[in-house]
Amino acid sequence: MSKPRCGFRDILKHGTKTSLFKWPKTHLTWNFHLADETELSTARAAFDLWSQHSALTFERSETNADIIIPWRRLRHYNTNTKVNGAICSDKFDGPGNVLAHASLPTDQAGFVSEVHVDGDEPWHIYINKHPADRFSLHYTLTHEIGHSLGLVHNRRKTSVMFAIQPDQQYPVKLDQNDIADIQRLYGEKSTNEPPHQTPAPPPPSPDLCSLDRVNGILILKNRMYISYKRYVWSIDLDGRTYNGPLALSNYMSFLHDNYTRVTAAYQSPSGDLVVFVDNLVYLFQYPEFSLRPGWPKTLQELGFPENTVNAHRGH
């Protein structure tokens, strides 16, 4: 029986410890698409392990992130289709075997490293000890982020970069090989850093049940999307459960900065979604959420008077 492992393809000669590429900077941004607060906290803990032992620093950004983490299943698509192509070259195989894969950094303009996590696996999404019948998301993300930073697989079983997942993945930590390899690429953590200032907590997210009104509703098959300002809730109409709120940019990473709300949306007969955000109109593929070439366009370009569109419908 195949053991659960990373799907990253080792393309260096056996035993080589240097990376093909590294990021040209030490401050990197990341985002975990469609993740809830627990999954975001687990991803943040994984990035923290690498920053604790190197000159790297990380910050979550909902737009234009350097490293993007999406859930994917079977044959799947890339998020950054412009540079990485529409379809990922490595497909998942259902539960077991390959758990995730990631791309090494390159020097290509506009490159985004993607960490694809197999959504068909039984994940333990917390940072504490995982049950025997579940895989640690914390361990897997730490491993895959290592690839996104430029590290390949390590032959030592104690390394977090070992290709095969150990039976027990807790506690998650870097061994001396991992620390030496990441410092070889980005240097040691500075001991002269200014005192860390805890940023002000973000404003609380709105509660769907307490809203007097919403900006719009879109129904696609058995799922309803409700938007309010910069947030969206995804409601399963069969199970009558919902996720959110999530930032709209979690679904549509191509949205312009400082957008305020969705004013209208509909699904075209071809299956594409047309979404009006402020005074811009976006046309993109669904469910890939990849923007069509030549979009967005302004309302004026499409013949609409400014600030007059406000409707939602779906098929």
Side-chain angles (χ1 to χ4, degrees):
M1 178 181 291
S2 299
K3 291 188 175 182
R5 60 167 290 137
C6 167
F8 173 81
R9 298 180 182 181
D10 288 305
I11 55 178
L12 300 182
K13 291 183 178 179
H14 194 59
T16 302
K17 287 191 175 182
T18 55
S19 171
L20 289 176
F21 294 103
K22 54 174 278 189
W23 291 94
K25 54 188 177 181
T26 57
H27 181 73
L28 299 172
T29 56
W30 64 274
N31 195 21
F32 194 162
H33 281 190
L34 308 185
D36 60 25
E37 288 302 322
T38 300
E39 293 160 349
L40 287 173
S41 296
T42 298
R44 190 172 289 109
F47 281 101
D48 285 348
L49 279 173
W50 293 107
S51 65
Q52 289 167 9
H53 299 286
S54 70
L56 289 165
T57 57
F58 300 99
E59 178 184 6
R60 185 184 173 223
S61 174
E62 295 181 358
T63 58
N64 302 319
D66 298 308
I67 300 173
I68 295 176
I69 308 170
W71 296 104
R72 292 291 186 259
R73 289 180 171 86
L74 302 176
R75 184 163 178 79
H76 54 276
Y77 52 89
N78 290 311
T79 301
N80 184 19
T81 57
K82 183 179 295 185
V83 175
N84 298 346
I87 302 298
C88 179
S89 58
D90 296 306
K91 66 179 182 179
F92 287 130
D93 50 9
N97 199 16
V98 176
L99 305 180
H101 53 238
S103 51
L104 290 169
T106 76
D107 55 0
Q108 187 173 3
F111 173 77
V112 174
S113 180
E114 299 195 25
V115 174
H116 295 171
V117 183
D118 189 351
D120 285 331
E121 306 295 347
W123 291 107
H124 179 71
I125 64 173
Y126 306 95
I127 61 174
N128 59 358
K129 188 174 182 178
H130 62 94
D133 60 346
R134 291 184 175 271
F135 300 118
S136 168
L137 182 63
H138 186 200
Y139 182 95
T140 300
L141 288 181
T142 302
H143 176 102
E144 299 302 334
I145 290 167
H147 290 318
S148 290
L149 299 176
L151 300 183
V152 296
H153 284 144
N154 194 300
R155 296 170 59 191
R156 294 180 179 270
K157 293 183 178 180
T158 58
S159 168
V160 77
M161 296 309 298
F162 187 63
I164 306 297
Q165 282 230 354
D167 293 334
Q168 183 50 250
Q169 303 138 33
Y170 178 85
V172 183
K173 59 183 179 180
L174 308 186
D175 79 351
Q176 291 305 312
N177 291 278
D178 302 321
I179 295 172
D181 287 344
I182 198 66
Q183 289 182 354
R184 187 179 296 113
L185 290 177
Y186 299 101
E188 298 181 15
K189 190 175 185 66
S190 173
T191 57
N192 299 319
E193 291 182 353
H196 177 71
Q197 294 183 349
T198 303
S205 301
D207 177 15
L208 178 60
C209 296
S210 66
L211 296 178
D212 294 329
R213 61 181 179 83
V214 297
N215 293 134
I217 297 174
L218 179 66
I219 299 176
L220 298 172
K221 295 184 178 179
N222 65 334
R223 189 161 291 274
M224 176 188 296
Y225 296 92
I226 299 178
S227 66
Y228 175 72
K229 294 185 177 179
R230 295 171 64 92
Y231 297 95
V232 63
W233 289 261
S234 173
I235 300 176
D236 183 346
L237 297 178
D238 293 333
R240 297 184 180 181
T241 59
Y242 71 89
N243 297 322
L246 297 172
L248 282 165
S249 55
N250 266 294
Y251 285 93
M252 298 174 282
S253 58
F254 44 75
L255 288 179
H256 58 281
D257 294 336
N258 301 319
Y259 67 91
T260 60
R261 65 190 178 106
V262 171
T263 55
Y266 69 91
Q267 187 174 30
S268 69
S270 67
D272 285 353
L273 290 186
V274 181
V275 177
F276 296 73
V277 182
D278 300 329
N279 286 317
L280 290 176
V281 183
Y282 294 83
L283 176 68
F284 55 91
Q285 293 175 286
Y286 178 83
E288 293 87 350
F289 288 96
S290 58
L291 191 65
R292 290 292 189 184
W295 296 81
K297 300 180 185 294
T298 65
L299 290 175
Q300 291 84 352
E301 287 180 278
L302 298 174
F304 292 102
E306 190 173 357
N307 295 319
T308 59
V309 178
N310 190 6
H312 286 65
R313 70 183 181 91
H315 296 283

